[in-house]
Amino acid sequence: MNRIKLNSDVSFSRIVYGMWRLADDENTTPAHVQAKIEACLAQGITTMDQADIYGGYEAEEVLGAALKAAPALRDQIEIVTKCDIVAPVGRYSDAKAKYYDTSRAHLLASVDHSLRLMNIDQIDVLLVHRPDPMMDHQETGAALDGLIASGKVKSVGVSNFKRHDWTLLQSAMNNPLVTNQIEASVVAPECFTNGDIAFMQEFGAPVMAWSPLGGGSLFGDPLSPMLAALNTVAKAQGVDATAVAVAWLLAHPAEIAPVMGTNNLDRIARISDATKVEMDRETWFALYTASIGAEVP
Ligand SMILES: NC(=O)c1ccc[n+]([C@@H]2O[C@H](COP(=O)([O-])OP(=O)(O)OC[C@H]3O[C@@H](n4cnc5c(N)ncnc54)[C@H](OP(=O)(O)O)[C@@H]3O)[C@@H](O)[C@H]2O)c1
């Protein structure tokens, strides 16, 4: 599995494993989580994507229990986690509304929670989960630089940011933002034309693509033209539609790292099939045509 270099200290595996649904699995035992991580590692997938809010603020703890039971795993993986969403559940049950908090106090407290829950000393990449309309960029930027200086966080990126959100925060930081995690897939292709991917290419920072299978919606209608188009390519290349949907993202020159969310061990074991798919320009556009529902003008 190829890797993507974020800076001199941090690199990602080309495909990332996402843990949003980790706490929703009927089996959350440390042994089962370890089996998922090992199935990833066997394919060279070393990057695990978390967020404080996943599983109602419980998914980090599920990972932490696995890392406690099998401490040798820690040095074989990179851990990405996110913060700034405060939802009235779990430790924030008393919140009067769902909101974003990029204040220094909230960021520092969130990082301490994440480190403790995951049983780790350092987060490899901390992402600001959602752009905060009340962000004081000077305060947020200084807090994020401070977290890197403290050693609690190796590097910082963002998620769901538009170009203006990125440049505002970056203008108040000494450390470069390393990535933006956005929605991108054959069922969410807008990012390829609305500037979201373009500005990342311009800034030379790789993109992380969340819900690369549309959160499973890709498989909702077995007769959909999108699935038929994927299956045509899949059949010709001896893989399944998932591998082709992921390969479609991998083929783009923006260095897109798909973040896969399956809880199914068999599917996890086949994630890297995507790297075997040949995706030439014509095939890419045939799938893009199915994705946007029309031939390009
Ligand atoms: N930054 C953000 O704002 C943000 C937002 C959303 C997600 N994320 C990240 O992105 C990761 C991936 O998101 P996601 O879970 O939505 O990704 P996804 O890979 O697009 O979707 C995973 C879902 O699709 C289902 N699925 C996969 N293959 C299937 C198949 N062949 N047939 C039927 N269902 C299938 C899975 O079910 P099974 O478990 O049964 O396979 C699972 O429920 C998350 O874990 C999280 O790390 C980030």
Side-chain angles (χ1 to χ4, degrees):
M1 170 94 37
N2 290 339
R3 297 189 66 80
I4 299 175
K5 205 168 156 62
L6 299 187
N7 60 29
S8 54
D9 277 342
V10 186
S11 66
F12 276 176
S13 49
R14 198 65 176 73
I15 302 179
V16 173
Y17 182 60
M19 295 189 161
W20 173 27
R21 302 172 194 272
L22 192 69
D24 304 339
D25 196 340
E26 57 194 25
N27 187 346
T28 57
T29 60
H32 190 63
V33 175
Q34 183 178 348
K36 289 177 177 177
I37 295 174
E38 283 174 349
C40 288
L41 292 176
Q43 303 164 81
I45 298 168
T46 60
T47 309
M48 307 291 141
D49 185 69
Q50 273 278 4
D52 60 352
I53 192 176
Y54 288 171
Y57 300 96
E58 286 179 9
E60 288 185 329
E61 200 168 2
V62 172
L63 172 61
L67 295 180
K68 194 171 183 182
L73 288 179
R74 172 63 187 108
D75 291 339
Q76 299 175 65
I77 61 177
E78 300 82 40
I79 297 180
V80 181
T81 195
K82 320 183 190 74
C83 61
D84 94 336
I85 305 180
V86 180
V89 291
R91 64 178 182 253
Y92 300 113
S93 328
D94 292 342
K96 293 186 197 69
K98 186 174 182 186
Y99 62 96
Y100 303 143
D101 191 346
T102 50
S103 68
R104 179 177 188 280
H106 181 78
L107 296 176
L108 269 51
S110 292
V111 164
D112 285 344
H113 272 296
S114 294
L115 292 173
R116 186 174 53 78
L117 292 175
M118 292 192 281
N119 281 303
I120 58 173
D121 300 325
Q122 190 179 46
I123 293 163
D124 294 283
V125 184
L126 177 72
L127 305 182
V128 179
H129 204 155
R130 293 265 167 187
D132 169 9
M134 274 196 78
M135 180 170 75
D136 175 337
H137 62 295
Q138 298 294 356
E139 176 181 341
T140 305
L144 294 169
D145 277 337
L147 281 165
I148 293 176
S150 73
K152 291 183 179 181
V153 167
K154 239 188 216 178
S155 59
V156 168
V158 294
S159 180
N160 302 300
F161 269 40
K162 295 289 179 188
R163 183 193 174 99
H164 52 266
D165 302 311
W166 173 290
T167 53
L168 179 66
L169 180 57
Q170 186 65 87
S171 73
M173 287 184 68
N174 296 322
N175 291 284
L177 294 170
V178 294
T179 188
N180 189 16
Q181 185 175 127
I182 59 171
E183 184 177 19
S185 70
V186 287
V187 294
E190 303 76 21
C191 54
F192 291 100
T193 48
N194 71 4
D196 288 352
I197 301 250
F199 88 80
M200 298 298 291
Q201 288 181 279
E202 181 186 347
F203 296 163
V207 177
M208 298 175 81
W210 59 257
S211 293
L213 308 174
S217 67
L218 185 54
F219 307 98
D221 173 7
L223 300 176
S224 77
M226 186 70 250
L227 203 49
L230 290 167
N231 277 326
T232 302
V233 180
K235 202 170 166 200
Q237 302 207 27
V239 292
D240 63 16
T242 297
V244 178
V246 174
W248 188 74
L249 294 169
L250 293 175
H252 194 275
E255 279 202 302
I256 299 174
V259 187
M260 309 295 297
T262 178
N263 266 325
N264 178 304
L265 267 180
D266 291 336
R267 286 185 188 135
I268 294 173
R270 283 186 280 119
I271 289 175
S272 60
D273 279 3
T275 61
K276 301 176 194 156
V277 176
E278 301 273 341
M279 184 67 56
D280 58 24
R281 186 174 284 270
E282 282 181 25
T283 309
W284 198 92
F285 271 93
L287 295 170
Y288 185 60
T289 302
S291 172
I292 62 175
E295 191 176 61
V296 292

